[in-house]
């Protein structure tokens, strides 16, 4: 059975990378993953994933979620879904994808974990940004993404860069490997990992004012089995290494978090 063409080769892989790269940490949308050319007027995916991760990025308290996934890409360039947000891909050469999109930063609640007591909630916020993907060949690809608007003051930004590889290793099997990193501005760093004087008084943590820097670097691996050209099952794992100012934050108790995913997907 030949796996349908997709850059990065198939929607089931895109679903899993999107979830495993951040869904378990409430930090999704690190990259845009789209069909090379949608079939007919459009093409989409529906699926679900069991995600084993942490309460927040840096927490030592684990949690397991069952997350739905739904995405669709129209031939005219528009796309929408739980993995890519809502956006538009401009006409581009076959080895490139670029455009604009709106996503959501899910924030966090201080009730999510013991370590967040007294830190207050960070509200869900829309983020506005763009993306650029470059396909080196049929197996290797680069991804970049910029998002702005996270945090209660709506001024946190995230810049993501990644390198991925995906190959059909057998008629019904596909292996994917990737690495990525995220740079955040000082506003984002303060909102998610800093401690203000008011938070210090409520939580007992020392005041902490971090600057801009790398939030984390990460590697992931996924293995997908195709039951049919439309149905597939994927197992994936992501290992992160928190960096610099994030790693030194008083709310960070686990600086090498690991997340696992088991996902089923149906393309239509």
């Amino acid at each position: 059975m030949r796996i349908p063409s997709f850059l990065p080769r198939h929607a089931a892989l895109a679903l899993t990378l999107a979830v495993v790269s951040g869904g378990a940490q409430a930090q999704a949308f690190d990259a845009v993953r789209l069909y090379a050319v949608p079939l007919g007027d459009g093409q989409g995916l529906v699926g679900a994933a069991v995600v084993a991760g942490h309460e927040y990025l840096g927490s030592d308290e684990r949690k397991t979620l069952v997350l739905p996934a739904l995405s669709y890409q129209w031939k005219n360039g528009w796309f929408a879904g739980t993995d890519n947000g809502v956006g538009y891909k401009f006409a581009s050469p076959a080895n490139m994808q670029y455009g604009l999109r709106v996503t959501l930063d899910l924030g966090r609640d201080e009730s999510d974990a013991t370590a967040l007591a007294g830190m207050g909630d960070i509200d869900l916020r829309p983020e506005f940004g763009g993306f650029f993907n470059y396909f080196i060949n049929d197996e290797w690809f680069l991804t970049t993404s910029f998002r702005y608007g996270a945090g209660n003051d709506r001024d946190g930004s995230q810049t993501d860069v990644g390198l991925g590889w995906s190959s059909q290793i057998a008629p019904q099997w596909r292996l994917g490997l990737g690495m990525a990193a995220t740079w955040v501005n000082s506003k984002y760093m303060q909102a998610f990992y800093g401690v203000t004087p008011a938070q210090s008084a409520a939580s007992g943590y020392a005041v902490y004012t971090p600057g801009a820097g790398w939030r984390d670097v990460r590697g992931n691996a996924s293995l997908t089995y195709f039951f049919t050209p439309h149905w597939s099952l994927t197992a994936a794992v992501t290992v992160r290494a928190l960096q610099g100012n994030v790693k030194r934050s008083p709310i960070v108790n686990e600086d090498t978090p690991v997340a696992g995913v088991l996902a089923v997907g149906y393309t239509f």
Side-chain angles (χ1 to χ4, degrees):
M1 179 181 68
R2 184 67 181 175
I3 296 171
S5 177
F6 178 75
L7 290 177
R9 305 301 295 171
H10 195 272
L13 176 62
L15 161 68
T16 303
L17 289 179
V19 173
V20 78
S21 66
Q25 317 293 347
Q27 300 291 345
F29 309 118
D30 69 316
V32 173
R33 299 169 179 92
L34 298 170
Y35 294 94
V37 180
L39 301 177
D41 293 329
Q43 195 167 359
L45 174 141
V46 62
V50 178
V51 183
H54 294 262
E55 288 290 348
Y56 63 90
L57 189 59
S59 173
D60 59 357
E61 298 182 38
R62 298 198 64 87
K63 71 174 178 180
T64 300
L65 297 172
V66 178
L67 300 175
L70 178 63
S71 65
Y72 198 82
Q73 181 184 346
W74 289 266
K75 200 166 188 177
N76 62 10
W78 288 98
F79 60 87
T82 56
D83 51 354
N84 290 324
V86 178
Y88 182 79
K89 180 180 76 70
F90 295 103
S92 59
N95 65 336
M96 297 181 188
Q97 295 176 343
Y98 48 86
L100 302 173
R101 63 172 177 159
V102 179
T103 57
L104 288 175
D105 183 273
L106 302 180
R108 69 173 187 230
D109 295 334
E110 67 172 304
S111 60
D112 288 344
T114 303
L116 296 178
M119 293 297 293
D121 298 340
I122 301 176
D123 295 334
L124 179 150
R125 297 297 191 200
E127 297 176 296
F128 303 89
F131 64 93
F132 176 82
N133 298 334
Y134 179 76
F135 301 98
I136 301 168
N137 53 39
D138 284 346
E139 296 183 340
W140 289 93
F141 54 93
L142 297 169
T143 62
T144 64
S145 173
F146 176 77
R147 294 167 284 157
Y148 182 87
N152 288 335
D153 292 333
R154 308 174 190 266
D155 53 6
S157 72
Q158 304 173 70
T159 302
D160 308 286
V161 294
L163 172 67
W165 172 86
S166 174
S167 181
Q168 185 173 339
I169 58 175
Q172 291 175 262
W173 292 92
R174 177 161 289 277
L175 178 65
L177 301 172
M179 59 185 301
T182 299
W183 174 276
V184 298
N185 69 355
S186 60
K187 302 296 186 180
Y188 181 100
M189 195 75 79
Q190 181 63 44
F192 286 87
Y193 294 100
V195 181
T196 67
Q199 290 172 326
S200 176
S203 67
Y205 295 128
V207 173
Y208 182 59
T209 307
W214 293 104
R215 187 187 68 197
D216 69 285
V217 296
R218 53 200 177 270
N220 59 63
S222 65
L223 184 64
T224 300
Y225 178 76
F226 295 88
F227 299 100
T228 72
H230 294 282
W231 283 101
S232 59
L233 181 69
T234 300
V237 62
T238 291
V239 180
R240 294 175 181 259
L242 304 189
Q243 302 295 301
N245 292 331
V246 172
K247 188 174 180 179
R248 290 187 286 269
S249 171
I251 68 166
V252 169
N253 297 311
E254 173 58 72
D255 57 19
T256 54
V258 178
V261 171
L262 185 64
V264 61
Y266 175 79
T267 57
F268 60 93

